[in-house]
Amino acid sequence: MEKKKALVLLEKYFLTTEETAVFLGISKQALSSLVKRGKLDRIEKGKISLFFKDDVERRKQEQSELRRKYRPYT
């Protein structure tokens, strides 16, 4: 039963690298660049990287605002 609870928590609060890239509409390389530039934090456990859903959703909002500001005609 504890495993199920843990999986539910993981699904609720975290995204994988692939899920994050798809959600943001960017490549994995662009996601890596965001991490390196300190724009998005990740949690690493061995070879697995996870991203907080709240942080990813906040970044998506920031991206939308930046696009409206710098590309108003697209």
Side-chain angles (χ1 to χ4, degrees):
M1 190 63 169
E2 290 298 315
K3 287 182 182 181
K4 278 188 175 181
K5 286 181 183 179
L7 287 173
V8 168
L9 286 174
L10 276 174
E11 289 290 323
K12 184 175 180 179
Y13 294 107
F14 296 96
L15 294 173
T16 64
T17 300
E18 287 186 25
E19 292 169 332
T20 301
V22 168
F23 183 79
L24 293 176
I26 60 176
S27 67
K28 288 184 189 177
Q29 292 82 7
L31 179 58
S32 177
S33 176
L34 286 175
V35 172
K36 286 178 185 173
R37 292 182 291 140
K39 303 291 183 182
L40 196 59
D41 293 326
R42 73 175 166 203
I43 299 168
E44 295 182 74
K45 177 72 175 171
K47 294 182 180 181
I48 303 295
S49 292
L50 296 174
F51 297 84
F52 283 105
K53 273 188 179 180
D54 288 346
D55 291 348
V56 175
E57 289 169 353
R58 195 173 309 113
R59 180 63 195 174
K60 177 88 169 182
Q61 182 63 35
E62 289 172 5
Q63 279 182 322
S64 295
E65 291 169 9
L66 289 170
R67 284 184 180 137
R68 276 194 301 271
K69 182 177 179 180
Y70 293 108
R71 296 187 208 166
Y73 304 112
T74 58

